[in-house]
Amino acid sequence: MPSPYRAIFEAPGTTLFSVAGLLGRMPLSMMGIGIVTMISQVTGRYGLAGALSATLAASAAVLGPMVSRLVDQYGQRKVLRPFTLVSLAAAAGLLLCVQQDAPDWTFFVFTALIGCVPSVGAMTRSRWAAIYRGDGRRLHTAYSWESIVDEVCFVFGPILSIGLSTTWFPEAGPLFAGMFLAVGVFWLTSQRATEPAPHPRDGGRRTSALRSPGLQVLALAFVATGAIFGSIDVVTVAFAEEQGTKAAASLVLAVYALGSGLAGAVFGLLHLKGEPSRRWLLGICAMAVSMIPLLLAGNLPLLAVALFVAGLSIAPTMVTTMALVEAHVPRTKLTEGMTWTGTGLAVGVALGSSAAGMVVDASGAEAGYVVPVVSGALAVAVGLLGHRRLRRPAPNREGQRERDDNSGVGQHQDGGQHVA
């Protein structure tokens, strides 16, 4: 492991919570596709499968920030364990209803309850932020490491979930996703030494982190970014099916994630200067431009190359986004702020998947790549219009003076070094 990555794991407990976070994050890429595979195998109704997947995404988008807000207030252990148990019970209820051929409405009820699953990625990132607050270089590397972990989950999660459900029994994918969630969350929350201190509400009404103008820009841009991801998944599967090798879709999508993971690994080794907001806008623009070659790919090998190149801009943009969230959201609301970006992605994935499916049905798979191109253009538009809000944190945000006094982070921001 290169020395910058070795350095972040010198702090006690970091290796253990990182591994626990990996396990707890696997359901993010396994549960949705596992439900789709299970329902399509048991009932043969792809419409129902897609509707349940959209229900899960919408529920997570609504409930995720609420759970994270409670975490900021009461701590990870007190909040994550009961909500994880609710999510696991709902997943068990869904599997039982599918096995017993229960009415469709029961599927939707239990799927919606699964959405209270905690955002484990936000929990691990908040631990890194607590450990390396004021050390911009190490926190930059830590966020890059988290991006690599995300890509590992998205490379292997869908393959594992689909493989289990198709080769063992239909419910195996969601079942194992629940097992990963239970082990990961309970192991993570047992590590009290690295858990960020809670910030109880001391009188008055606790406002949402989304009131931050900078976070509003990031979350909205991530809706468009999520539409890119969701549409690429759907269209690539349809394109591979038209080429007569539907099974190859998972490999092509793995190449997409591989490009992002490699870029994230290299990005974590760099010590970058300049405003993070400009770097973020450049990443959004690069992501949008990289969608255009997808329209020209006439076969799977060319598509794989185009997706690999497109993936190179993802992880660096995500890493910079987390740095901007940390700069624009008070410490007392950091976990919630990080979760809002995931919520934006989840909403975008649902919208992009639906739009891509309609275009593919109407005009074919190749035409479906228009959806990620348009989504990329929308992300750029949001970035250009909101860039001024991201240039520096709001002067009246909570915790700004405390952070400047204790760690000098504000000087890093103004002095042009990487902000974390």
Side-chain angles (χ1 to χ4, degrees):
M1 185 178 291
S3 57
Y5 287 105
R6 286 202 306 270
I8 64 172
F9 287 105
E10 290 175 356
T14 51
T15 301
L16 290 178
F17 83 66
S18 184
V19 176
L22 168 64
L23 295 177
R25 224 175 308 182
M26 286 296 287
L28 181 65
S29 61
M30 291 181 64
M31 186 63 77
I33 193 65
I35 290 175
V36 169
T37 306
M38 174 181 67
I39 296 296
S40 62
Q41 281 190 279
V42 173
T43 68
R45 298 162 60 189
Y46 283 89
L48 175 62
L52 289 172
S53 179
T55 299
L56 178 63
S59 174
V62 172
L63 299 177
M66 296 172 59
V67 174
S68 293
R69 190 181 307 172
L70 292 173
V71 168
D72 284 328
Q73 190 172 350
Y74 298 106
Q76 293 186 2
R77 183 184 179 93
K78 289 184 178 179
V79 176
L80 297 189
R81 290 192 171 189
F83 275 99
T84 297
L85 291 175
V86 171
S87 184
L88 292 172
L94 174 62
L95 299 188
L96 184 62
C97 288
V98 171
Q99 189 181 58
Q100 298 298 318
D101 196 22
D104 290 353
W105 66 265
T106 62
F107 299 173
F108 286 94
V109 170
F110 284 114
T111 299
L113 290 174
I114 294 174
C116 70
V117 58
S119 176
V120 178
M123 306 304 155
T124 55
R125 285 179 170 91
S126 66
R127 290 186 180 226
W128 288 116
I131 292 171
Y132 291 124
R133 180 169 287 110
D135 189 340
R137 182 177 295 188
R138 290 199 180 188
L139 193 51
H140 164 71
T141 304
Y143 285 156
S144 298
W145 171 258
E146 288 297 311
S147 242
I148 297 171
V149 174
D150 284 339
E151 299 308 330
V152 168
C153 292
F154 278 100
V155 168
F156 294 104
I159 297 174
L160 179 61
S161 184
I162 294 172
L164 288 169
S165 291
T166 54
T167 61
W168 200 1
F169 55 91
E171 299 85 359
L175 177 62
F176 271 77
M179 292 172 60
F180 279 123
L181 177 65
V183 173
V185 169
F186 278 81
W187 187 14
L188 178 69
T189 52
S190 69
Q191 300 172 41
R192 305 299 298 275
T194 54
E195 180 179 349
H199 302 277
R201 182 175 57 190
D202 35 320
R205 178 172 171 267
R206 189 180 182 93
T207 59
S208 171
L210 198 58
R211 296 188 65 176
S212 162
L215 183 59
Q216 292 169 8
V217 174
L218 296 172
L220 188 58
F222 265 41
V223 173
T225 304
I228 293 176
F229 300 157
S231 57
I232 283 180
D233 286 350
V234 171
V235 180
T236 300
V237 171
F239 185 80
E241 187 172 15
E242 286 186 0
Q243 297 287 312
T245 53
K246 184 176 181 179
S250 61
L251 298 178
V252 174
L253 291 173
V255 170
Y256 184 36
L258 177 64
S260 176
L262 291 177
V266 173
F267 193 68
L269 301 176
L270 304 177
H271 180 51
L272 303 174
K273 296 183 179 181
E275 290 186 12
S277 60
R278 292 181 182 176
R279 194 155 57 247
W280 177 82
L281 183 59
L282 179 62
I284 291 292
C285 291
M287 194 182 304
V289 171
S290 68
M291 295 296 106
I292 298 175
L294 302 181
L295 296 170
L296 308 176
N299 55 57
L300 285 176
L302 287 177
L303 178 63
V305 173
L307 284 175
F308 178 82
V309 174
L312 296 176
S313 60
I314 295 176
T317 305
M318 297 294 184
V319 172
T320 308
T321 299
M322 292 301 109
L324 287 171
V325 171
E326 204 273 343
H328 284 266
V329 175
R331 186 193 308 182
T332 58
K333 303 174 184 176
L334 183 57
T335 307
E336 181 195 349
M338 291 181 173
T339 303
W340 273 113
T341 59
T343 293
L345 281 177
V347 172
V349 167
L351 294 175
S353 300
S354 301
M358 290 187 289
V359 173
V360 168
D361 288 341
S363 306
E366 287 193 51
Y369 283 114
V370 170
V371 178
V373 172
V374 172
S375 301
L378 291 174
V380 171
V382 172
L384 291 174
L385 292 173
H387 178 250
R388 183 175 297 179
R389 294 186 178 188
L390 295 175
R391 295 191 65 179
R392 63 178 59 209
N396 60 345
R397 71 191 183 102
E398 294 178 43
Q400 174 66 42
R401 184 171 61 251
E402 178 186 0
R403 276 216 283 266
D404 290 347
D405 292 342
N406 291 344
S407 61
V409 174
Q411 296 170 355
H412 284 297
Q413 293 164 348
D414 296 333
Q417 295 182 13
H418 182 86
V419 59

